Amino acid sequence: MKSTLTAVAAALLSTTMGTTALAQEVETERHTLSLETISEGLNHPWGIVFLPSGDMLVTERSGTLNVITPDGKKTAIKGTPEVVAKSQGGLLDVNIDPNYADNGWVYISYSEPDPDGGKGNSTAVMRGKIDGDNWTQGEVVFRQAPKYESNAHFGSRLIFSPEGHLFITLGDRYSRMQDAQTLDNHHGKVVRIWPDGSIPEDNPFVGQSDALDEIWSYGHRNVQGAAIHPDTGELWTIEHGPQGGDEVNIPAAGKNYGWPTVTYGEDYGGGEIGIGTHKEGTEQPFYYWLPSIATAGSIFYTGDQFPHWKGDLLVTALRGQTIARLDLEDGRVLHEERMLEDATSFRIRDIEQGPDGFLYILTDADSGQLIKLSPVK
């Protein structure tokens, strides 16, 4: 069942100054949602994380890191690194250290220009601290290698494991080569490091002469969503496919997830990619979409505000303009609901659960919005 507008809400949809006004209430299968704009005028916002204070850090792909208060006051942080803000590149995800209250570290991922002046770029991760409205003590803890002349497929979610590892999801850089299938580069990989950039000794390819030590899993296309399962502690990833073949995976150490040799998608405009959907030695996705909804951010919902969604995986979509709710039970998907797609007209880049249990989404546009979702009592 798709989301539907109430009669009152339908009358409230209008377009002013290029921004679509929000419906006040949207029906879903299990909850009626109230949508409230917290902040707008954001230039392609990409990532969001809550600080212990209740304020939010929100990135704009154009290169700005913002602190946004719950009532919408926005402060831009000065001194963040230079980014290649072209096409899909720019300032991307943001997260805070599991021990942020003690150490104050903030982690950002971004498309980094070649420091030697070449035309290539790649995903990098820097950690730093926020002092007032200034970015300080910045240090790069990871650089995707090699630099590559492309402005696409940066991947770029940052997620901490229960043990304190930092997982970084990466794209294949739209290289159209077999880079995602070889271990001598970071294209199309999920990597796993310690927060200071050092390598965990139990990473699957440590000490292997033809592999990079940071690699956790490989054969990925463009992983733009990631979340830790609240019960198992496993990493789940959301992979943006081509024309079809968006995937949910549970990447295990050293496993190959097939791209571009196997995929459920096809090339843009039609045409086969690889050899089909199965090959010995590659893993099948946990779940996939045909056709593509253009997946992006994701979370497992663990709060109390939406009790009928507890434990479900929520996945945002760009082209699909929806939040896909996967109803999970006993390790399988019982049902998928696509929420908001009939009620709104915006691409949804990311989703986060606030400390209050409400949901917050970012819309991907030149004048994007930070929107709060709460249940109608």
Side-chain angles (χ1 to χ4, degrees), residues 75-90:
T75 301
I77 303 302
K78 296 177 291 189
T80 51
E82 177 188 0
V83 304
V84 180
K86 296 179 180 179
S87 185
Q88 297 174 16

mmCIF file of all heavy atoms in Angstrom, residues 75-90:
data_model
loop_
_atom_site.group_PDB
_atom_site.id
_atom_site.type_symbol
_atom_site.label_atom_id
_atom_site.label_comp_id
_atom_site.label_asym_id
_atom_site.label_seq_id
_atom_site.Cartn_x
_atom_site.Cartn_y
_atom_site.Cartn_z
ATOM 1 N N THR A 75 24.058 27.301 11.799
ATOM 2 C CA THR A 75 25.380 27.922 11.878
ATOM 3 C C THR A 75 26.342 27.141 11.004
ATOM 4 O O THR A 75 26.494 25.927 11.177
ATOM 5 C CB THR A 75 25.905 27.933 13.328
ATOM 6 O OG1 THR A 75 24.987 28.645 14.161
ATOM 7 C CG2 THR A 75 27.277 28.591 13.402
ATOM 8 N N ALA A 76 26.984 27.818 10.063
ATOM 9 C CA ALA A 76 27.968 27.168 9.194
ATOM 10 C C ALA A 76 29.318 27.112 9.905
ATOM 11 O O ALA A 76 29.759 28.096 10.519
ATOM 12 C CB ALA A 76 28.090 27.934 7.887
ATOM 13 N N ILE A 77 29.972 25.955 9.808
ATOM 14 C CA ILE A 77 31.289 25.755 10.420
ATOM 15 C C ILE A 77 32.368 26.164 9.423
ATOM 16 O O ILE A 77 32.376 25.700 8.277
ATOM 17 C CB ILE A 77 31.463 24.293 10.860
ATOM 18 C CG1 ILE A 77 30.351 23.895 11.834
ATOM 19 C CG2 ILE A 77 32.837 24.081 11.477
ATOM 20 C CD1 ILE A 77 30.262 24.742 13.077
ATOM 21 N N LYS A 78 33.278 27.005 9.869
ATOM 22 C CA LYS A 78 34.352 27.504 9.015
ATOM 23 C C LYS A 78 35.579 26.597 9.109
ATOM 24 O O LYS A 78 35.852 26.013 10.145
ATOM 25 C CB LYS A 78 34.722 28.927 9.422
ATOM 26 C CG LYS A 78 33.595 29.945 9.234
ATOM 27 C CD LYS A 78 33.992 31.322 9.723
ATOM 28 C CE LYS A 78 34.122 31.366 11.228
ATOM 29 N NZ LYS A 78 34.298 32.757 11.744
ATOM 30 N N GLY A 79 36.312 26.483 7.973
ATOM 31 C CA GLY A 79 37.591 25.794 7.989
ATOM 32 C C GLY A 79 37.563 24.324 7.640
ATOM 33 O O GLY A 79 38.574 23.630 7.811
ATOM 34 N N THR A 80 36.415 23.821 7.136
ATOM 35 C CA THR A 80 36.364 22.424 6.701
ATOM 36 C C THR A 80 37.164 22.264 5.408
ATOM 37 O O THR A 80 37.451 23.250 4.723
ATOM 38 C CB THR A 80 34.904 21.977 6.490
ATOM 39 O OG1 THR A 80 34.236 22.923 5.640
ATOM 40 C CG2 THR A 80 34.172 21.898 7.818
ATOM 41 N N PRO A 81 37.536 21.048 5.044
ATOM 42 C CA PRO A 81 38.460 20.859 3.916
ATOM 43 C C PRO A 81 37.842 21.207 2.564
ATOM 44 O O PRO A 81 36.613 21.204 2.396
ATOM 45 C CB PRO A 81 38.809 19.369 3.986
ATOM 46 C CG PRO A 81 37.668 18.742 4.716
ATOM 47 C CD PRO A 81 37.224 19.761 5.711
ATOM 48 N N GLU A 82 38.718 21.481 1.600
ATOM 49 C CA GLU A 82 38.288 21.710 0.218
ATOM 50 C C GLU A 82 37.681 20.433 -0.338
ATOM 51 O O GLU A 82 38.182 19.338 -0.096
ATOM 52 C CB GLU A 82 39.499 22.120 -0.636
ATOM 53 C CG GLU A 82 39.188 22.307 -2.102
ATOM 54 C CD GLU A 82 40.435 22.526 -2.957
ATOM 55 O OE1 GLU A 82 41.547 22.523 -2.388
ATOM 56 O OE2 GLU A 82 40.290 22.676 -4.188
ATOM 57 N N VAL A 83 36.600 20.585 -1.105
ATOM 58 C CA VAL A 83 35.952 19.426 -1.710
ATOM 59 C C VAL A 83 35.806 19.651 -3.207
ATOM 60 O O VAL A 83 35.824 20.789 -3.685
ATOM 61 C CB VAL A 83 34.560 19.150 -1.088
ATOM 62 C CG1 VAL A 83 34.664 18.970 0.416
ATOM 63 C CG2 VAL A 83 33.569 20.257 -1.430
ATOM 64 N N VAL A 84 35.677 18.542 -3.950
ATOM 65 C CA VAL A 84 35.366 18.611 -5.376
ATOM 66 C C VAL A 84 33.843 18.564 -5.492
ATOM 67 O O VAL A 84 33.234 17.496 -5.516
ATOM 68 C CB VAL A 84 36.005 17.452 -6.157
ATOM 69 C CG1 VAL A 84 35.663 17.547 -7.642
ATOM 70 C CG2 VAL A 84 37.517 17.442 -5.964
ATOM 71 N N ALA A 85 33.233 19.730 -5.515
ATOM 72 C CA ALA A 85 31.766 19.825 -5.513
ATOM 73 C C ALA A 85 31.254 19.825 -6.941
ATOM 74 O O ALA A 85 30.772 20.827 -7.461
ATOM 75 C CB ALA A 85 31.319 21.066 -4.769
ATOM 76 N N LYS A 86 31.333 18.664 -7.576
ATOM 77 C CA LYS A 86 30.861 18.499 -8.950
ATOM 78 C C LYS A 86 30.023 17.236 -9.039
ATOM 79 O O LYS A 86 30.396 16.205 -8.482
ATOM 80 C CB LYS A 86 32.040 18.397 -9.928
ATOM 81 C CG LYS A 86 32.904 19.642 -10.009
ATOM 82 C CD LYS A 86 34.046 19.429 -10.993
ATOM 83 C CE LYS A 86 34.937 20.668 -11.098
ATOM 84 N NZ LYS A 86 36.066 20.439 -12.043
ATOM 85 N N SER A 87 28.905 17.314 -9.746
ATOM 86 C CA SER A 87 28.035 16.158 -9.955
ATOM 87 C C SER A 87 27.711 15.502 -8.618
ATOM 88 O O SER A 87 27.131 16.136 -7.750
ATOM 89 C CB SER A 87 28.678 15.181 -10.939
ATOM 90 O OG SER A 87 27.802 14.125 -11.243
ATOM 91 N N GLN A 88 28.133 14.257 -8.384
ATOM 92 C CA GLN A 88 27.818 13.558 -7.141
ATOM 93 C C GLN A 88 28.826 13.836 -6.037
ATOM 94 O O GLN A 88 28.666 13.368 -4.908
ATOM 95 C CB GLN A 88 27.741 12.057 -7.402
ATOM 96 C CG GLN A 88 26.638 11.660 -8.362
ATOM 97 C CD GLN A 88 26.667 10.186 -8.730
ATOM 98 O OE1 GLN A 88 27.305 9.370 -8.073
ATOM 99 N NE2 GLN A 88 25.972 9.818 -9.792
ATOM 100 N N GLY A 89 29.875 14.577 -6.345
ATOM 101 C CA GLY A 89 30.933 14.827 -5.376
ATOM 102 C C GLY A 89 30.685 16.041 -4.515
ATOM 103 O O GLY A 89 29.889 16.919 -4.841
ATOM 104 N N GLY A 90 31.388 16.099 -3.400
ATOM 105 C CA GLY A 90 31.291 17.234 -2.493
ATOM 106 C C GLY A 90 31.488 16.782 -1.062
ATOM 107 O O GLY A 90 32.129 15.760 -0.791
#
